[in-house]
PDB file of all heavy atoms in Angstrom:
ATOM      1  N   GLY A 162     -72.849 -69.155  43.291  1.00 92.00           N
ATOM      2  CA  GLY A 162     -74.182 -68.564  43.245  1.00 92.00           C
ATOM      3  C   GLY A 162     -74.880 -68.804  41.919  1.00 92.00           C
ATOM      4  O   GLY A 162     -76.063 -69.143  41.880  1.00 92.00           O
ATOM      5  N   LEU A 163     -74.155 -68.631  40.818  1.00 94.00           N
ATOM      6  CA  LEU A 163     -74.748 -68.824  39.498  1.00 94.00           C
ATOM      7  C   LEU A 163     -75.126 -70.282  39.267  1.00 94.00           C
ATOM      8  O   LEU A 163     -76.193 -70.573  38.709  1.00 94.00           O
ATOM      9  CB  LEU A 163     -73.774 -68.360  38.410  1.00 94.00           C
ATOM     10  CG  LEU A 163     -73.540 -66.843  38.339  1.00 94.00           C
ATOM     11  CD1 LEU A 163     -72.508 -66.516  37.264  1.00 94.00           C
ATOM     12  CD2 LEU A 163     -74.844 -66.097  38.061  1.00 94.00           C
ATOM     13  N   ILE A 164     -74.276 -71.196  39.691  1.00 95.00           N
ATOM     14  CA  ILE A 164     -74.595 -72.628  39.533  1.00 95.00           C
ATOM     15  C   ILE A 164     -75.861 -72.968  40.329  1.00 95.00           C
ATOM     16  O   ILE A 164     -76.774 -73.651  39.839  1.00 95.00           O
ATOM     17  CB  ILE A 164     -73.414 -73.503  39.997  1.00 95.00           C
ATOM     18  CG1 ILE A 164     -72.237 -73.343  39.035  1.00 95.00           C
ATOM     19  CG2 ILE A 164     -73.834 -74.975  40.072  1.00 95.00           C
ATOM     20  CD1 ILE A 164     -70.978 -74.056  39.488  1.00 95.00           C
ATOM     21  N   GLY A 165     -75.932 -72.477  41.571  1.00 92.00           N
ATOM     22  CA  GLY A 165     -77.109 -72.743  42.395  1.00 92.00           C
ATOM     23  C   GLY A 165     -78.375 -72.144  41.806  1.00 92.00           C
ATOM     24  O   GLY A 165     -79.438 -72.784  41.803  1.00 92.00           O
ATOM     25  N   LEU A 166     -78.268 -70.926  41.278  1.00 92.00           N
ATOM     26  CA  LEU A 166     -79.443 -70.280  40.685  1.00 92.00           C
ATOM     27  C   LEU A 166     -79.904 -70.999  39.421  1.00 92.00           C
ATOM     28  O   LEU A 166     -81.112 -71.154  39.189  1.00 92.00           O
ATOM     29  CB  LEU A 166     -79.122 -68.820  40.374  1.00 92.00           C
ATOM     30  CG  LEU A 166     -79.095 -67.871  41.573  1.00 92.00           C
ATOM     31  CD1 LEU A 166     -78.599 -66.499  41.143  1.00 92.00           C
ATOM     32  CD2 LEU A 166     -80.474 -67.750  42.198  1.00 92.00           C
ATOM     33  N   ILE A 167     -78.969 -71.436  38.619  1.00 94.00           N
ATOM     34  CA  ILE A 167     -79.340 -72.175  37.401  1.00 94.00           C
ATOM     35  C   ILE A 167     -80.076 -73.457  37.768  1.00 94.00           C
ATOM     36  O   ILE A 167     -81.110 -73.792  37.176  1.00 94.00           O
ATOM     37  CB  ILE A 167     -78.084 -72.474  36.563  1.00 94.00           C
ATOM     38  CG1 ILE A 167     -77.527 -71.171  35.974  1.00 94.00           C
ATOM     39  CG2 ILE A 167     -78.412 -73.456  35.433  1.00 94.00           C
ATOM     40  CD1 ILE A 167     -76.186 -71.335  35.284  1.00 94.00           C
ATOM     41  N   LEU A 168     -79.552 -74.173  38.764  1.00 95.00           N
ATOM     42  CA  LEU A 168     -80.237 -75.401  39.202  1.00 95.00           C
ATOM     43  C   LEU A 168     -81.623 -75.074  39.765  1.00 95.00           C
ATOM     44  O   LEU A 168     -82.597 -75.801  39.508  1.00 95.00           O
ATOM     45  CB  LEU A 168     -79.380 -76.114  40.258  1.00 95.00           C
ATOM     46  CG  LEU A 168     -78.058 -76.715  39.771  1.00 95.00           C
ATOM     47  CD1 LEU A 168     -77.279 -77.308  40.940  1.00 95.00           C
ATOM     48  CD2 LEU A 168     -78.321 -77.794  38.727  1.00 95.00           C
ATOM     49  N   GLY A 169     -81.712 -73.987  40.538  1.00 92.00           N
ATOM     50  CA  GLY A 169     -83.005 -73.602  41.102  1.00 92.00           C
ATOM     51  C   GLY A 169     -84.011 -73.239  40.021  1.00 92.00           C
ATOM     52  O   GLY A 169     -85.191 -73.627  40.099  1.00 92.00           O
ATOM     53  N   ILE A 170     -83.579 -72.505  38.998  1.00 93.00           N
ATOM     54  CA  ILE A 170     -84.466 -72.133  37.889  1.00 93.00           C
ATOM     55  C   ILE A 170     -84.953 -73.376  37.151  1.00 93.00           C
ATOM     56  O   ILE A 170     -86.131 -73.493  36.795  1.00 93.00           O
ATOM     57  CB  ILE A 170     -83.742 -71.175  36.931  1.00 93.00           C
ATOM     58  CG1 ILE A 170     -83.508 -69.821  37.621  1.00 93.00           C
ATOM     59  CG2 ILE A 170     -84.553 -70.979  35.652  1.00 93.00           C
ATOM     60  CD1 ILE A 170     -82.622 -68.885  36.827  1.00 93.00           C
ATOM     61  N   ILE A 171     -84.048 -74.331  36.930  1.00 95.00           N
ATOM     62  CA  ILE A 171     -84.421 -75.574  36.249  1.00 95.00           C
ATOM     63  C   ILE A 171     -85.477 -76.319  37.051  1.00 95.00           C
ATOM     64  O   ILE A 171     -86.479 -76.817  36.505  1.00 95.00           O
ATOM     65  CB  ILE A 171     -83.174 -76.460  36.026  1.00 95.00           C
ATOM     66  CG1 ILE A 171     -82.246 -75.803  34.999  1.00 95.00           C
ATOM     67  CG2 ILE A 171     -83.588 -77.852  35.550  1.00 95.00           C
ATOM     68  CD1 ILE A 171     -80.920 -76.522  34.826  1.00 95.00           C
ATOM     69  N   ILE A 172     -85.302 -76.390  38.381  1.00 94.00           N
ATOM     70  CA  ILE A 172     -86.271 -77.095  39.228  1.00 94.00           C
ATOM     71  C   ILE A 172     -87.629 -76.402  39.186  1.00 94.00           C
ATOM     72  O   ILE A 172     -88.683 -77.056  39.092  1.00 94.00           O
ATOM     73  CB  ILE A 172     -85.741 -77.177  40.680  1.00 94.00           C
ATOM     74  CG1 ILE A 172     -84.519 -78.086  40.729  1.00 94.00           C
ATOM     75  CG2 ILE A 172     -86.825 -77.689  41.623  1.00 94.00           C
ATOM     76  CD1 ILE A 172     -83.833 -78.108  42.082  1.00 94.00           C
ATOM     77  N   VAL A 173     -87.628 -75.055  39.247  1.00 92.00           N
ATOM     78  CA  VAL A 173     -88.893 -74.307  39.200  1.00 92.00           C
ATOM     79  C   VAL A 173     -89.611 -74.550  37.872  1.00 92.00           C
ATOM     80  O   VAL A 173     -90.829 -74.788  37.836  1.00 92.00           O
ATOM     81  CB  VAL A 173     -88.632 -72.807  39.415  1.00 92.00           C
ATOM     82  CG1 VAL A 173     -89.883 -71.998  39.109  1.00 92.00           C
ATOM     83  CG2 VAL A 173     -88.204 -72.547  40.850  1.00 92.00           C
TER      84      VAL A 173
END
Side-chain angles (χ1 to χ4, degrees):
L163 291 177
I164 291 174
L166 284 173
I167 291 172
L168 292 176
I170 292 172
I171 292 174
I172 293 174
V173 169

